[in-house]
Amino acid sequence: MNIGLGSTNVDEFRSRVRTFLDRELPADWAGVGKLNHHEAEEFAKQWRSTLSEHGFLATSWPVEYGGAGLTELEQVVLAEEFARVGVPTGAMNDVFGITMIGNTLLHWGTDDQKKNFLPRILSGEHIWCQGYSEPGSGSDLASLSTRAVLDGDEWVINGQKIWTSGGHLANWIFVLVRTNAEAPPHRGISMLLVPMDQEGVEVRPIKNMAGEYDFNEVYFTDARCPKENVLGGVDEGWPVAMTLLGFERGEAAATLPIMFRDELQRLFALARENGAASDPVMRDLLADAYIDNEVMRFLGRDSLARYLAGHAPGPDAAVNKLFWSEYHAKVTELALDVLDRESLVVEGRRPTNTTMYQTDDVGAPTSSASWITTFAISRSGTIYAGTSEIQKTIIGEKLLGLPK
């Protein structure tokens, strides 16, 4: 995908990225999808170090904090080139450490917090996960009940979080807690930065419908963190939480379509191979998927233009999140129709990490296991980072001005 916003500088940057990839990847490299799970895991660790060493990690962060200081347009070029050769842009938990809490620290953090946390995120010393949803507080996040009480120089935390992706891999968690029971729901919440390697934090894995253990429950029993580990101020965590969700929903708007387009091309190839493309109804459905993918691409371009103009992620991010999550659920269901009877039996190579890539690995051989697993995982996309229903509410109220 070429987003059509090129310039001489962008062309030079693309050439620089291609030179880097040619130099760092093996001559016979065919994509991480050609590796078995153990090989892919080892490659991901080594590749993250390589990206950090050459300034291709935390690409949006300012150089003074160890980032690459790339423009949004350069980040899209980087994503295009990485997708072209089939390499990841980081490790699984980097979406929480770099994209979410890292960017939020840059926006809301004190100088001491930035100096303390940002270098450790980049080095991999701190591996982060997200503590938002609770058993009784998912879409209605402001009703959360996990509490924190100040005890001298430390916060004492009690409660439970759920659907914590990557929590079993993390050693830090950013947690929304209630610090003032008397305040209105949105005013009595704080965001705390909490170490997980302590006796008061218990992580229990949850198997998802694809048979993976990406999700977790996290229990806090008198867990502690330093008093100064409040991001954005005591009882002022709601706008911080919304900023973080804006980064989660908005930053990938221009890069996700790149992965989805590659996935769609693999689906087209499968339909041609097994004869599904000869059916006129199936061809119409595949054409609809192509049109949706192009719409998503142009939505991403619109978001990119906004960011280039200096606008931080806002309610408009809900449009992108709603569109890509519903699109992916639909297109992966279409993939099972293309597979036809093969979709009844899970055979072949499973994806190594659909949580990070959203899709199967680039270069992966076509198999029923690949499409069935991606189909199952895609359903969670309509729930995490705000359910589709919540995104529709945001669009209606914040963008269209409809009554509540």
Side-chain angles (χ1 to χ4, degrees):
M1 180 187 84
N2 191 308
I3 58 174
L5 297 173
S7 68
T8 301
N9 289 338
V10 169
D11 291 339
E12 291 175 354
F13 179 71
R14 189 183 298 276
S15 177
R16 173 189 158 198
V17 174
R18 290 187 175 184
T19 299
F20 162 75
L21 293 171
D22 290 342
R23 183 180 67 244
E24 297 298 329
L25 292 172
D28 60 348
W29 179 256
V32 71
K34 297 298 184 183
L35 306 178
N36 63 40
H37 281 218
H38 175 71
E39 291 170 338
E41 184 178 321
E42 291 303 309
F43 172 81
K45 293 178 183 178
Q46 173 268 323
W47 186 243
R48 188 187 192 278
S49 298
T50 301
L51 293 178
S52 180
E53 179 183 347
H54 291 85
F56 286 123
L57 198 63
T59 53
S60 66
W61 291 10
V63 175
E64 63 183 293
Y65 292 111
L70 300 184
T71 66
E72 285 81 0
L73 185 54
E74 288 171 327
Q75 292 173 61
V76 173
V77 170
L78 188 70
E80 288 178 346
E81 293 303 316
F82 279 25
R84 179 180 61 85
V85 299
V87 292
T89 55
M92 172 181 168
N93 287 60
D94 281 337
V95 68
F96 305 109
I98 294 176
T99 302
M100 295 167 67
I101 194 62
N103 282 329
T104 305
L105 277 162
L106 287 169
H107 189 83
W108 287 96
T110 65
D111 288 341
D112 286 343
Q113 288 174 336
K114 293 174 186 177
K115 291 176 182 177
N116 178 40
F117 289 107
L118 295 179
R120 290 173 171 81
I121 292 173
L122 287 183
S123 69
E125 178 184 346
H126 287 181
I127 303 173
W128 288 83
C129 63
Q130 179 180 18
Y132 271 31
S133 295
E134 299 181 4
S137 302
S139 297
D140 183 15
L141 185 59
S143 67
L144 62 89
S145 60
T146 297
R147 297 182 180 276
V149 177
L150 195 58
D151 179 23
D153 291 332
E154 293 184 313
W155 291 100
V156 180
I157 307 158
N158 285 278
Q160 177 191 358
K161 297 295 179 177
I162 198 167
W163 312 124
T164 308
S165 299
H168 57 299
L169 305 174
N171 54 21
W172 280 81
I173 183 170
F174 49 93
V175 189
L176 286 184
V177 297
R178 188 159 302 286
T179 47
N180 187 342
E182 304 302 320
H186 294 81
R187 296 285 298 172
I189 291 172
S190 302
M191 182 180 286
L192 301 184
L193 310 177
V194 181
M196 298 181 72
D197 292 339
Q198 58 172 299
E199 188 175 337
V201 179
E202 179 186 1
V203 179
R204 300 181 187 175
I206 303 172
K207 182 184 288 189
N208 63 28
M209 66 187 293
E212 307 287 348
Y213 284 99
D214 292 329
F215 298 136
N216 301 269
E217 297 175 283
V218 181
Y219 292 85
F220 301 93
T221 306
D222 293 333
R224 292 176 176 265
C225 76
K227 177 182 179 180
E228 60 269 20
N229 281 20
V230 179
L231 186 56
V234 178
D235 297 342
E236 299 296 332
W238 189 254
V240 182
M242 295 301 101
T243 297
L244 186 142
L245 287 178
F247 284 120
E248 181 183 16
R249 295 166 183 166
E251 186 165 285
T255 55
L256 270 180
I258 298 168
M259 293 186 292
F260 287 147
R261 195 175 196 187
D262 176 81
E263 177 186 64
L264 188 59
Q265 291 301 323
R266 287 191 282 115
L267 180 57
F268 289 164
L270 172 63
R272 287 191 291 266
E273 288 172 14
N274 71 4
S278 63
D279 179 85
V281 174
M282 188 63 71
R283 284 202 305 273
D284 282 348
L285 293 173
L286 291 168
D288 285 343
Y290 177 82
I291 292 169
D292 286 347
N293 191 273
E294 289 295 291
V295 170
M296 181 165 45
R297 183 166 70 96
F298 284 102
L299 284 173
R301 287 182 57 176
D302 180 66
S303 294
L304 180 61
R306 290 173 183 267
Y307 298 157
L308 289 171
H311 296 287
D316 56 292
V319 176
N320 294 295
K321 200 280 172 178
L322 176 65
F323 196 95
W324 76 250
S325 59
E326 293 293 332
Y327 159 84
H328 202 219
K330 183 171 70 172
V331 80
T332 52
E333 184 172 349
L334 175 60
L336 300 193
D337 291 336
V338 171
L339 281 170
D340 198 19
R341 285 172 292 182
E342 291 184 49
S343 67
L344 300 176
V345 181
V346 179
E347 292 183 333
R349 180 187 183 278
R350 294 169 62 92
T352 58
N353 198 339
T354 48
T355 300
M356 181 167 64
Y357 297 106
Q358 308 287 331
T359 65
D360 198 353
D361 314 302
V362 177
T366 294
S367 69
S368 64
S370 170
W371 288 110
I372 291 169
T373 303
T374 308
F375 161 79
I377 292 292
S378 72
R379 268 57 199 156
S380 64
T382 64
I383 300 172
Y384 67 70
T387 65
S388 291
E389 290 76 12
I390 290 296
Q391 303 313 305
K392 291 175 182 177
T393 298
I394 293 172
I395 292 168
E397 294 179 3
K398 303 295 185 181
L399 299 181
L400 300 180
L402 301 178
K404 291 187 178 182

